[in-house]
Amino acid sequence: MKLTLIKTIALSSLLTCSAAAMAEQSDYKLMVIETATAPQELEQSFNSCALNVKSKNYAEAEAVCTQAIALLNNAQGSKFKLRQLTSYALSNRGVARLKANNETAAIADLYEAVQLNKNALVSHNLTRAKQELSL
């Protein structure tokens, strides 16, 4: 399964950590951390969030995304890198919340993600959510 997942994601650089987007252009982007580029606990929480969204386990996705955000808030390292990863985790949680019909919390996460780091993947998710919700 892991090999299949790796084949279906497109990699993008994130300093010493990489993230990947899973989805079609018209759908939401979910970010994962490339294997062995982050502490194992963070990598598991972060990647589990995206996989749970993809599997439609939205409550579990929200919980593990929240765990990843907490780990990032307490992490040491490059402020730029931590802001990027936190932005991605917030975006992933926003997608999970949107899919679970918690639109207000979803939009709040997506706006915060863009404020932390305005990148193409996170911006895409916010734009897509605003279109879907007719905002």
Side-chain angles (χ1 to χ4, degrees):
M1 168 150 162
K2 192 170 187 175
L3 185 56
T4 303
L5 176 63
I6 292 171
K7 288 180 179 178
T8 62
I9 56 179
L11 300 177
S12 64
S13 295
L14 178 59
L15 296 176
T16 60
C17 182
S18 295
M22 304 183 312
E24 295 177 16
Q25 285 292 63
S26 62
D27 206 356
Y28 294 99
K29 309 295 182 190
L30 299 171
M31 282 61 74
V32 297
I33 296 175
E34 212 174 9
T35 305
T37 59
Q40 185 176 11
E41 185 178 20
L42 174 59
E43 181 185 321
Q44 287 175 343
S45 294
F46 203 102
N47 293 349
S48 179
C49 173
L51 291 174
N52 275 292
V53 171
K54 191 143 177 82
S55 300
K56 299 181 181 179
N57 299 322
Y58 304 125
E60 180 66 17
E62 182 177 350
V64 292
C65 281
T66 299
Q67 180 183 9
I69 293 164
L71 290 169
L72 286 162
N73 286 337
N74 295 317
Q76 300 295 315
S78 161
K79 297 283 186 198
F80 179 76
K81 178 179 167 182
L82 291 172
R83 286 174 65 90
Q84 284 183 315
L85 290 174
T86 302
S87 174
Y88 286 156
L90 282 163
S91 181
N92 284 353
R93 186 174 72 180
V95 172
R97 287 176 164 175
L98 191 63
K99 296 291 188 176
N101 297 317
N102 187 353
E103 290 93 358
T104 302
I107 289 295
D109 278 349
L110 293 169
Y111 271 109
E112 185 178 353
V114 168
Q115 287 178 344
L116 281 175
N117 184 357
K118 189 173 186 174
N119 61 69
L121 298 173
V122 173
S123 295
H124 168 84
N125 285 345
L126 176 59
T127 300
R128 176 77 175 87
K130 286 168 42 177
Q131 288 171 344
E132 184 174 315
L133 299 173
S134 300
L135 298 177

